[in-house]
Amino acid sequence: ASLATGPRQDNGIFYEIRTYDIKPSKMKAFVEMVNQHFHLRTAYSELVGFWTVELGAMNKAVHIWKYDNFAHRAAVRAALANDKDWQGKLLSPLLAFVEKQHNEVAYLVPWCQLEKPPKEGGVYEWVTFQMKPGGPALWGEAFRAAINTHINTGYTKLIGVFHTEYGLLNTVHVIWWNESPDSRAAGRHNAHEDARVVAAVRESVRFLESQQNMLLVPLPFSPLK
């Protein structure tokens, strides 16, 4: 019943979350280039999703990769370093578009499976919670209860919950799916007036340091779209 990542670490599978800040004048060219050539990268490992940020930040792209273990990631990176098509057609040109790169290693929490949306064409809400130091032993149960309450009310669709292993610790990323920004706004309004949600959130925020959310739009080649 805990949020500890042990079971996910035992089977080796982890997720690399990569965030790129794109130069404002280059965002359109960045999207066009990845749409055209990103198959060169996905030939080597599994892409979970690739989005651009619509609200909550600007000129930002987020993508998630799944790896069987760290040796798998190392082998993929080595193969990419020797792929002249990848290097020449996509990586080198993209470096001129990117201002900053950030990556994290995260595990799905044991009580959550990676889900798919009920249909294509919606939007994703990416919520980042920075929890108090102490890890899941301190705040795991309250956090899980808050997430499950949101799930059970049906106001939004849960896609996945990730807990960081490398990067800023005690960080939890939660991905939700909605049909549209307006349906998300309506669900948010209903949740704020739902006594079940209010009670669960009131308990979990005792362990919260900060919270940030972004509205994401998937690119055409994203498996989650």
Side-chain angles (χ1 to χ4, degrees), residues 25-112:
S25 63
K26 300 294 185 181
M27 191 64 189
K28 183 175 184 292
F30 171 84
V31 171
E32 290 174 351
M33 182 165 288
V34 294
N35 278 331
Q36 182 178 0
H37 294 301
F38 213 69
H39 64 279
L40 298 172
R41 175 60 184 85
T42 55
Y44 286 92
S45 61
E46 181 179 347
L47 176 68
V48 174
F50 196 117
W51 304 266
T52 56
V53 181
E54 183 72 15
L55 296 172
M58 297 184 70
N59 303 301
K60 193 181 292 287
V62 182
H63 41 124
I64 305 175
W65 298 90
K66 180 180 179 181
Y67 292 102
D68 296 335
N69 48 48
F70 288 97
H72 178 208
R73 181 184 184 274
V76 168
R77 303 299 295 178
L80 287 167
N82 292 315
D83 187 322
K84 293 182 180 179
D85 275 348
W86 157 252
Q87 295 283 336
K89 293 181 179 179
L90 188 55
L91 181 60
S92 294
L94 283 185
L95 292 178
F97 300 165
V98 178
E99 288 190 322
K100 185 170 62 174
Q101 294 176 300
H102 175 70
N103 77 330
E104 299 169 287
V105 166
Y107 293 92
L108 275 173
V109 298
W111 45 268
C112 170

Side-chain angles (χ1 to χ4, degrees), residues 133-181:
L138 175 67
W139 42 259
E141 289 302 322
F143 188 88
R144 180 182 182 182
I147 295 297
N148 282 338
T149 300
H150 280 85
I151 295 171
N152 294 336
T153 57
Y155 298 133
T156 184
K157 165 70 175 176
L158 181 68
I159 300 299
V161 181
F162 300 87
H163 179 212
T164 56
E165 185 74 10
Y166 287 98
L168 188 60
L169 296 182
N170 296 295
T171 301
V172 184
H173 300 292
V174 183
I175 306 175
W176 303 95
W177 179 89
N178 291 278
E179 289 190 7
S180 69

